[in-house]
Amino acid sequence: MSKVTKDRLNPVKSILVSQPKPSDPNSPYFQLAEKYNLKIDFRQFIEVQAVSVKDFRKQKIDILKHTAVIFTSRNAIDHFFTICKELKIEMPADMKYFCISDQTAHYLQKYIVIRKRKLFVGQKTASDLFDYFKKHKGEKYLFPCSDIRKDEIPNYLTKSNIEFTEAIIYHTVAADLSDLRDIKYDVLAFFSPSGIKSLKQNFPDFKQNETRIAAFGPTTAQEVRDQELILDIEAPMPNAPSMTGALELYIKKANNLGD
């Protein structure tokens, strides 16, 4: 948690989470809402728009000249295989796939039958894949991604002199939040710099006042500061590795609930 002054420790009764509503009925968010009698709503602040085949062709990328594909999200997988289908490209059986997490790897099976020897899976972060890249330096990597993406993977590949091609296959844009104009929440929870930018794009005259802002990850936290907003709740932290954990710690203080 960021430094919190007493004048901002007002009781929390409502939270807006800038992500889709969880499909799991046992989500920690629902448990948090029930435990502290909170109103928690969910609304995605960003939208994903596919790059057309025409625009993809302008990038002059030959997919089949690559020997490995790096996937960091389900969006990337969906949009990549949509483009392949439209271009009538069938992925060769010996193509290697490097996935950032088990969830991403599992989702990949929606499109292809995977043999274990061709799949390399990280724990959760980009750096988990670096050892795999180092062991497979001879591959020609294709990195399908959004126009807004993190730098870790391209930076590592460039620094390591590993051949790769970045393919922009979808755009991340601000969602229309105009219906939220007159709705107030005690806490707004963000998970990416794009979410913060969407807030400011939708509401250029946004005044934070007593609204608390929660941010997950250092880049999101920095974007809050760059937009000259007050960061009240920060995750992950040693005592709160999740957003719900950080929210709960803050709520206990703000609602004067003790331990």
Side-chain angles (χ1 to χ4, degrees):
M1 192 185 300
S2 294
K3 291 181 180 177
V4 179
T5 56
K6 287 185 178 180
D7 62 316
R8 294 190 62 74
L9 277 173
N10 299 311
V12 174
K13 296 179 181 178
S14 61
I15 300 172
L16 179 61
V17 178
S18 61
Q19 284 189 332
K21 185 175 182 178
S23 55
D24 182 0
N26 296 316
S27 165
Y29 286 105
F30 300 144
Q31 295 172 8
L32 193 68
E34 185 176 355
K35 185 175 180 180
Y36 296 103
N37 192 26
L38 304 170
K39 169 185 163 74
I40 300 184
D41 292 335
F42 301 87
R43 179 66 178 275
Q44 199 148 9
F45 275 43
I46 56 175
E47 291 178 352
V48 167
Q49 294 179 350
V51 166
S52 68
V53 169
K54 181 181 177 182
D55 286 339
F56 179 77
R57 282 197 174 109
K58 290 178 183 176
Q59 299 179 58
K60 297 181 179 178
I61 294 170
D62 187 341
I63 291 174
L64 294 180
K65 280 194 174 178
H66 298 82
T67 60
V69 186
I70 303 166
F71 288 120
T72 58
S73 72
R74 292 190 295 183
N75 275 327
I77 292 172
D78 282 335
H79 291 288
F80 175 76
F81 283 99
T82 297
I83 283 176
C84 286
K85 185 178 180 181
E86 291 182 16
L87 292 174
K88 295 182 171 57
I89 291 174
E90 189 171 331
M91 300 303 283
D94 59 352
M95 183 67 76
K96 295 183 176 68
Y97 300 94
F98 293 75
C99 296
I100 198 166
S101 67
D102 283 329
Q103 285 181 320
T104 309
H106 181 75
Y107 192 75
L108 181 58
Q109 296 180 71
K110 177 180 176 181
Y111 294 95
I112 59 171
V113 176
I114 299 171
R115 294 181 183 139
K116 286 185 179 179
R117 65 184 176 84
K118 292 169 187 166
L119 182 66
F120 306 89
V121 184
Q123 295 296 313
K124 197 173 183 181
T125 65
S127 59
D128 296 332
L129 294 174
F130 292 172
D131 282 342
Y132 290 129
F133 295 153
K134 193 183 298 182
K135 290 175 185 175
H136 299 271
K137 288 190 75 168
E139 303 296 339
K140 294 180 179 178
Y141 291 93
L142 182 64
F143 181 33
C145 58
S146 165
D147 56 328
I148 299 173
R149 52 100 181 115
K150 294 181 179 178
D151 297 330
E152 290 100 323
I153 288 175
N155 285 354
Y156 178 83
L157 294 173
T158 300
K159 184 180 177 182
S160 303
N161 294 316
I162 296 173
E163 188 175 348
F164 78 102
T165 306
E166 189 173 315
I168 306 300
I169 55 168
Y170 64 98
H171 297 295
T172 304
V173 300
D176 181 4
L177 306 174
S178 54
D179 57 306
L180 295 177
R181 183 172 299 279
D182 298 319
I183 303 173
K184 306 297 181 187
Y185 290 89
D186 296 323
V187 177
L188 302 177
F190 293 96
F191 299 82
S192 72
S194 301
I196 305 288
K197 289 174 181 173
S198 176
L199 172 72
K200 297 292 280 188
Q201 188 172 325
N202 274 275
F203 310 112
D205 300 324
F206 174 76
K207 297 288 189 291
Q208 186 172 357
N209 298 324
E210 293 182 359
T211 301
R212 272 59 57 82
I213 288 181
F216 189 89
T219 57
T220 311
Q222 188 57 49
E223 185 64 30
V224 173
R225 299 183 184 103
D226 289 347
Q227 294 290 348
E228 297 183 349
L229 297 168
I230 299 169
L231 179 60
D232 299 279
I233 305 161
E234 189 171 359
M237 299 293 275
N239 58 344
S242 66
M243 175 61 86
T244 48
L247 288 169
E248 183 166 19
L249 285 178
Y250 182 87
I251 289 163
K252 283 181 179 179
K253 283 189 176 182
N255 294 15
N256 199 24
L257 297 172
D259 294 326

